[in-house]
Amino acid sequence: MELRQLEHFVAVAQESHFTRAAELLQISQSGLSASIRALETELGTPLFVRSTRRVELTEAGRVLLAESHRTLASVAAAHDAVAAVRGVLRGTLSVGGEQCLGVVDVPAQLARFRSRHPGVEVRLRFGGSSRLIDLLAAGRLDVALVAVTGPAPRGVVMTPLAAEPLVVLCHPDHELASSEEVGLAALEGFTFVGFQPDWGARVLTDRAFAAVGLPHRVELEVNDVHTLLDLVGHNLGIAIVPAPIAAKKRHKLHVAALRGDLPGWHVAAAASENPSPAARALLAQLSHRPEARPSEARPSGDRPAEAGPAEVRPAEVRPSGIRPATPPGPAPRPPQPVPG
């Protein structure tokens, strides 16, 4: 089995099409087909179910795909590590993030990273925190900026960045707008606007309602922050969101504190236990970023949650797995605050 064959296999699996995969790899389709057939012969089992329109992975193919991602990522990391010894940071850095975490300015951080390390190709994708952690564990991401929703998978460590409360957001004409603080029981029966099930706020909210034996039905489900805010802004429902999201419409919508023992909004940078040099450099940069300003959407009387490892619950992030990231070469200078 050769690395070249694994690269060919992954391309076909991702494209679900031999012709498109061949174009992506810039090889002939006949050469690609021969490479896959040789791999299947060596393994003694089909990896794809082929049809005239598309190809699909067999059970063996799905198992091999997960291992192929890890193997190719390890090989790339080995090349990058050798380059780092020579004082050159290069390779690819795949970053994932959930929208509007509120405590990390992702565009500014990536721009700063690129200016310091122009030899690194940066790739970015957004999604729900649960999905991003799965991709990281499978070797398809190097760093994931996520809301902590549970224990880290084996091989993944979380570096805490900050914490904020969850709050209730509603229209000023909504009947809840007269309340500065509400409990979960008082929200029963209202129409909810919420994110998709793998987003951090949705996972934490579902869990909080389940813990007190109350239903939580999201009638208006969205996959972006601005649509959620617009729906609440038209008085179509209420939402439970982290304070940084509520801050975006703090002058137009009402924010109420949540009463009771509820999970907090903990933001962390997740990475492999053995991150690539580029990933270590980004983690170090994030650790030196200016402290996020307290959210202006926090209800009066609420103290901001302090950022740092002590604020992350042991059941959610293993403190023993949190290690300072050491970038190759001189330590980066702390970045200057970004306005806004």
Side-chain angles (χ1 to χ4, degrees), residues 278-298:
R280 287 201 303 272
L282 179 61
L283 291 170
Q285 177 180 300
L286 290 168
S287 297
H288 286 85
R289 82 194 195 288
E291 289 299 320
R293 291 177 297 178
S295 169
E296 296 179 50
R298 188 177 292 105

Side-chain angles (χ1 to χ4, degrees), residues 10-28:
V10 169
V12 175
Q14 291 178 339
E15 296 296 322
S16 298
H17 201 278
F18 274 86
T19 300
R20 289 196 297 268
E23 292 172 351
L24 179 68
L25 294 166
Q26 296 184 330
I27 63 175
S28 67

Side-chain angles (χ1 to χ4, degrees), residues 102-324:
V103 296
V104 181
D105 187 340
V106 175
Q109 289 292 339
L110 294 184
R112 190 172 295 120
F113 180 88
R114 178 172 284 177
S115 70
R116 291 172 173 172
H117 309 292
V120 178
E121 177 188 351
V122 178
R123 298 176 181 174
L124 175 66
R125 67 185 299 169
F126 283 96
S129 290
S130 299
R131 173 62 175 159
L132 294 175
I133 290 296
D134 290 342
L135 292 173
L136 179 67
R140 298 178 65 181
L141 288 176
D142 298 304
V143 177
L145 302 172
V146 298
V148 178
T149 58
R154 183 183 299 275
V156 172
V157 293
M158 304 266 201
T159 301
L161 299 178
E164 292 278 354
L166 291 173
V167 298
V168 178
L169 196 61
C170 68
H171 190 276
D173 293 337
H174 195 278
E175 62 181 276
L176 289 176
S178 60
S179 303
E180 294 300 319
E181 183 180 81
V182 296
L184 291 180
L187 305 180
E188 191 173 5
F190 289 119
T191 299
F192 274 91
V193 184
F195 298 116
Q196 293 183 332
D198 63 343
W199 282 52
R202 175 70 180 275
V203 173
L204 295 173
T205 304
D206 286 346
R207 188 175 299 159
F209 274 89
V212 295
L214 293 173
H216 178 236
R217 289 182 291 274
V218 176
E219 290 90 344
L220 304 174
E221 188 175 273
V222 300
N223 64 354
D224 71 285
V225 170
H226 296 290
T227 301
L228 178 142
L229 294 173
D230 287 344
L231 291 170
V232 175
H234 283 84
N235 207 8
L236 292 171
I238 65 172
I240 296 178
V241 297
I245 290 180
K248 292 180 176 295
K249 295 282 188 177
R250 59 184 174 271
H251 301 307
K252 296 183 178 180
L253 300 176
H254 177 74
V255 181
L258 271 171
R259 183 170 56 246
D261 184 16
L262 300 168
W265 174 257
H266 297 279
V267 177
S272 164
E273 287 181 338
N274 298 299
S276 68
R280 287 201 303 272
L282 179 61
L283 291 170
Q285 177 180 300
L286 290 168
S287 297
H288 286 85
R289 82 194 195 288
E291 289 299 320
R293 291 177 297 178
S295 169
E296 296 179 50
R298 188 177 292 105
S300 59
D302 243 13
R303 287 192 305 109
E306 304 242 344
E311 287 298 318
V312 180
R313 298 178 181 178
E316 296 171 333
V317 177
R318 296 169 293 180
S320 60
I322 299 170
R323 299 188 294 273

Side-chain angles (χ1 to χ4, degrees), residues 26-50:
Q26 296 184 330
I27 63 175
S28 67
Q29 183 174 338
S30 60
L32 177 60
S33 297
S35 176
I36 297 299
R37 282 197 301 272
L39 183 59
E40 290 176 321
T41 299
E42 179 179 346
L43 295 174
T45 185
L47 300 173
F48 295 103
V49 177
R50 297 159 172 84

